Amino acid sequence: MRIDVVTIFPDYLAALDLSLVGKARRAGLLDLRVHDLRDWTDDRHRTVDDTPFGGGAGMVMRPDVWGRALDDLLPADGPARLVVPSPSGEVFTQRRAEALATEEHLVVACGRYEGIDARVVEHYRDRGVAVDELSLGDYVLNGGEVAALVMVEAVGRLLPGVVGNPHSLVEESHGEAGLLEYPVYTKPPVWQGREVPDVLLSGHHARIERWRRDEALRRTARRRPDMIAALGEDALDRRDREV
Ligand SMILES: Oc1ccccc1-c1ccno1
C-alpha cells in the first residue's frame, strides 16, 4: 500500500518512522511518503491560505495550491482514495480502518487554519475520486496532522505482515468480535497485594477463553452499551446472554 500525506508541518509525521509503522516502511510493506504542501505554492512567500469569503475569523487554505498538489499525487485513472481529516467528517472507526487497509493508494490531505476551500473536495469527487472526510471524534484539533498519524497507524497495523501475531488483531478492542478487550495480566503474580485471577493460572484453556469472553462482554456492556446493541443477532450465544 502507498500512502501520501500532504501537510504544512511534515515534521509532525516523523513519529511514523518509529515502531510498527516504521518497521513496515523499512520492510517495504508500506510505502509512506510525506509531502510539504508549500512545495506547490507559486509565490516567494510560499502562501497556502487567504481570508475567507463572507468574512469571519481565521484563514482558509487555498484551492489552487491544494489542486496542484493533489493533481500530482492522485493518479488520473488510478485506484486512489482521498482522505481528508475534518471535525465535520464521518467518525473514523476500526471498521473504516479495515476498509481503508484494503485500498492500494491513499492520499491524506491535512488541513489547517479554518479548513480547506470546499471546492477542493467537490472537484475531486466530481472527477470520480473517492473522498472520505473523516473525524476522530467530537473535539477540535489545530489541524489534520494528529488525525493523519492516528489513521495511518490504525490502517498500517492492519496490513499483512505488519503485526507479528495476526490473531491479536482479532481479540483486541473493536476487533472482529466487536467487543472491548478483556483485562490482561503478567508477572509478578501478586503486586501491591493484588493477585491475578486464578483461572488465568489454571492452564485450563477452555475456561480461560470463557473467562476472557465474559470479561469482554461485561466491560463492553458497562462502558460501551452501544457496541452491544450494534452486535448482530447471532453474535451472542445463550451463555453470553447470561453474563
Ligand atoms: O479539528 C480538526 C481540524 C483539522 C482536521 C481535523 C480535525 C479533527 C477533529 C477531530 N478529528 O479531526
Side-chain angles (χ1 to χ4, degrees):
M1 168 185 263
R2 172 175 167 175
I3 302 180
D4 291 283
V5 180
V6 186
T7 167
I8 60 172
F9 293 116
D11 292 349
Y12 227 112
L13 284 296
L16 295 176
D17 291 332
L18 306 173
S19 187
L20 275 180
V21 172
K23 279 175 61 180
R25 295 174 76 179
R26 288 185 288 279
L29 298 172
L30 172 61
D31 176 9
L32 177 66
R33 307 176 193 192
V34 179
H35 309 272
D36 186 341
L37 178 67
R38 295 189 193 278
D39 290 348
W40 283 277
T41 55
D42 56 4
D43 66 308
R44 59 198 291 266
H45 298 294
R46 294 165 61 86
T47 310
V48 295
D49 63 325
D50 207 327
T51 54
F53 280 122
M59 302 290 273
V60 174
M61 299 190 96
R62 289 169 47 173
D64 54 336
V65 181
W66 273 108
R68 285 194 291 272
L70 297 178
D71 282 351
D72 280 355
L73 297 173
L74 286 167
D77 55 355
R81 179 174 284 267
L82 177 59
V83 174
V84 184
S86 167
S88 57
E90 296 173 28
V91 178
F92 178 69
T93 63
Q94 186 66 17
R95 300 293 85 80
R96 180 67 66 118
E98 290 161 356
L100 293 176
T102 66
E103 297 285 341
E104 287 181 37
H105 184 193
L106 301 178
V107 177
V108 183
C110 298
R112 280 264 149 183
Y113 310 112
E114 298 309 308
I116 301 172
D117 186 298
R119 290 169 292 180
V120 174
V121 164
E122 286 171 21
H123 172 72
Y124 289 98
R125 277 201 175 115
D126 288 349
R127 253 186 44 184
V129 175
V131 181
D132 289 346
E133 295 178 83
L134 298 176
S135 166
L136 294 185
D138 295 338
Y139 41 82
V140 181
L141 303 169
N142 291 326
E145 286 78 11
V146 167
L149 284 168
V150 168
M151 293 173 189
V152 170
E153 173 153 325
V155 170
R157 66 192 299 275
L158 296 176
L159 299 177
V162 174
V163 171
N165 174 7
H167 182 68
S168 63
L169 296 177
V170 173
E171 292 196 319
E172 61 190 9
S173 288
H174 307 284
E176 280 182 22
L179 300 173
L180 298 181
E181 197 168 37
Y182 48 77
V184 291
Y185 302 82
T186 187
K187 304 179 189 62
V190 182
W191 174 73
Q192 300 285 6
R194 297 175 186 278
E195 298 179 356
V196 170
D198 289 339
V199 66
L200 299 181
L201 309 177
S202 68
H204 196 297
H205 297 295
R207 288 181 189 158
I208 291 170
E209 190 174 336
R210 185 71 253 177
W211 178 88
R212 285 175 167 169
R213 179 158 176 91
D214 290 353
E215 286 302 307
L217 284 163
R218 285 193 190 98
R219 180 177 268 192
T220 309
R222 188 166 59 246
R223 298 179 183 176
R224 292 291 305 276
D226 58 299
M227 289 176 65
I228 295 286
L231 291 174
E233 265 307 301
D234 57 354
L236 300 178
D237 62 31
R238 184 180 52 77
R239 177 70 179 68
D240 290 337
R241 297 179 192 283
E242 293 167 0
V243 172

